[in-house]
Amino acid sequence: MRISVAIDGPAGAGKSTIAKLVGKEFNLMYINTGAMYRAVALKSKENNLSPKDIDKICDLISSMEMHFENDDLILNNENIQDEITLPEISSIVSSYASIAEVRSKLVKLQRDMSNKFDVIMDGRDIGTVVLKNASFKFFLTATPEERANRRYKELKDRNIECSYDEILKDIKSRDYKDTHRDIDPLRKAHDAIEIDTTGLNISEVTEKINSYIRQKL
Ligand code: DC
């Protein structure tokens, strides 16, 4: 039987860092679903498509071949991981991620991947929608201030100019949009284990998840 691990939570809760490490430990393919929504936002922006151009965005998605290599998103043979994590994409992605047609297309791609491989998938709706029957579900949280601080440090380490206040504002605005949108809003699945990562370091959170999975495998 295939193993699938769902990790949900708000922006900056540490999902992707933790998911990569847990994935390595149990030999799971890491699927970063946020990266897939970001790729749609990036390509829509490049093609001057606003979130209202739903039919054109759907056509665009049909021409996008997405897969993951070494945890990075490869779009039509190009590694776009650095581009999609820039602040200008972070600030527009929620508007594209709230389009029902976009969600159903990407959810289908995500389920196809989980049928082919043992996966660890992170996002907002993995435990509630994409992988309702996941073998393991976790919900990571942290205060907005801690999450903004992590993003700020991450961008600074990449020498990307940014302001902490702007990042905090963006995180709060994305939290609101992600939890209040009509379709598949961010919420904890009833059977997910919640971990508040505030004040915990990466290895502490990873070990909590690893030991939980180890116990049940
Ligand atoms: O995790 P992230 O910040 O890279 O996600 C980018 C955006 O995509 C974020 O605004 C929420 C949205 N998203 C979503 O709606 N559903 C997912 N499964 C993953 C991300």
Side-chain angles (χ1 to χ4, degrees):
M1 207 185 84
R2 290 238 163 271
I3 298 175
S4 53
V5 181
I7 304 211
D8 288 302
K15 300 183 298 294
S16 65
T17 309
I18 307 285
K20 284 177 199 171
L21 292 167
V22 175
K24 299 254 163 355
E25 178 75 18
F26 297 100
N27 209 11
L28 309 170
M29 181 184 279
Y30 170 52
I31 311 288
N32 176 346
T33 64
M36 298 170 76
Y37 288 97
R38 286 169 180 269
V40 172
L42 172 75
K43 288 291 144 187
S44 299
K45 186 172 181 249
E46 281 176 9
N47 287 280
N48 293 318
L49 299 179
S50 90
K52 292 202 179 101
D53 298 318
I54 295 177
D55 289 346
K56 287 188 180 145
I57 296 172
C58 287
D59 288 346
L60 188 67
I61 296 175
S62 303
S63 72
M64 293 167 70
E65 190 282 320
M66 291 188 254
H67 68 272
F68 289 86
E69 276 176 29
N70 300 321
D71 302 334
D72 285 354
L73 178 61
I74 311 296
L75 169 66
N76 298 339
N77 290 322
E78 192 192 343
N79 186 326
I80 56 163
Q81 197 64 37
D82 283 342
E83 272 174 276
I84 56 178
T85 46
L86 292 173
E88 62 250 40
I89 301 302
S90 302
S91 63
I92 60 167
V93 59
S94 294
S95 313
Y96 294 92
S98 54
I99 303 169
E101 292 83 348
V102 168
R103 300 201 70 80
S104 70
K105 278 186 177 284
L106 293 195
V107 167
K108 181 174 181 315
L109 292 177
Q110 291 153 11
R111 285 186 181 144
D112 287 348
M113 291 176 187
S114 76
N115 289 329
K116 280 195 208 133
F117 306 101
D118 289 335
V119 296
I120 182 160
M121 202 177 270
D122 77 348
R124 305 295 189 283
D125 58 342
I126 311 306
T128 51
V129 177
V130 183
L131 304 177
K132 275 197 190 122
N133 296 319
S135 332
F136 301 94
K137 296 184 185 179
F138 298 94
F139 192 83
L140 302 187
T141 59
T143 60
E145 289 73 17
E146 169 124 354
R147 290 184 281 129
N149 206 21
R150 290 177 188 168
R151 273 279 146 96
Y152 177 76
K153 284 193 185 141
E154 184 188 313
L155 290 168
K156 279 279 169 197
D157 284 347
R158 287 166 58 194
N159 289 322
I160 295 170
E161 208 36 62
C162 57
S163 111
Y164 170 83
D165 290 341
E166 279 301 312
I167 294 173
L168 180 60
K169 204 169 111 197
D170 178 62
I171 280 204
K172 286 184 175 168
S173 131
R174 282 209 285 153
D175 281 357
Y176 186 86
K177 284 187 194 155
D178 290 345
T179 50
H180 287 79
R181 67 173 175 233
D182 293 338
I183 317 136
D184 306 339
L186 169 66
R187 58 194 169 79
K188 178 184 154 318
H190 69 90
D191 49 354
I193 294 163
E194 180 162 349
I195 302 175
D196 182 348
T197 71
T198 311
L200 296 182
N201 65 31
I202 290 165
S203 54
E204 287 169 323
V205 182
T206 309
E207 202 29 58
K208 263 181 196 272
I209 295 183
N210 284 352
S211 61
Y212 188 86
I213 295 178
R214 247 182 249 121
Q215 269 174 34
K216 303 263 165 169
L217 272 183

